[in-house]
Amino acid sequence: MILLSAAGPAAALGKNGSLEVHEFGLFYNQNQSGCVFDLYGEDLNFNNDYFKSGCTGGTSNVNDNTESYRNRDVYAWKVATDANIDGNVGEIPSGYSGNASTNFKNKISSATFTLHP
């Protein structure tokens, strides 16, 4: 006999322009303002990613075009200045938000979560 359980609440989808719990967000402007690029899973190349319309920075390419961040995930996230987590790499712990440093402001090109909470 196979038992099926009911599905739980819908998981965050990512890349929908809304930063939800369990997601990592990169913002077009400083102080977590303007459009947000929200990630639920890794994205190793932002070259084909665009901010959603209807906010400051809307429809702009995400690659090398973010100034702040917020991590609503339980895991830390790594960001990098080149595709495939290469170049300068930084880690943003769970629950942190802030403005990108000079080394990362408008230079982030990829992101992935780490396996340690």
Side-chain angles (χ1 to χ4, degrees):
M1 175 195 253
I2 298 175
L3 297 175
L4 299 175
S5 63
L13 300 176
K15 297 185 181 182
N16 65 4
S18 177
L19 184 60
E20 297 153 332
V21 175
H22 302 296
E23 290 185 337
F24 172 74
L26 292 164
F27 291 82
Y28 183 76
N29 290 325
Q30 291 187 10
N31 303 315
Q32 298 78 50
S33 63
C35 289
V36 62
F37 179 59
D38 56 312
L39 292 165
Y40 182 71
E42 72 179 14
D43 189 330
L44 298 179
N45 189 342
F46 294 168
N47 209 27
N48 294 319
D49 293 307
Y50 295 86
F51 291 106
K52 301 292 181 193
S53 62
C55 51
T56 303
T59 69
S60 296
N61 186 271
V62 175
N63 191 54
D64 295 337
N65 213 6
T66 58
E67 296 187 2
S68 61
Y69 57 86
R70 182 172 179 202
N71 186 355
R72 294 193 68 194
D73 200 350
V74 296
Y75 296 102
W77 277 74
K78 288 184 181 180
V79 295
T81 57
D82 293 330
N84 300 309
I85 311 299
D86 204 7
N88 287 334
V89 178
E91 184 169 286
I92 301 165
S94 176
Y96 275 67
S97 61
N99 293 324
S101 69
T102 304
N103 291 335
F104 292 93
K105 183 178 178 181
N106 291 320
K107 297 177 185 173
I108 298 172
S109 297
S110 58
T112 188
F113 60 93
T114 63
L115 296 179
H116 58 84

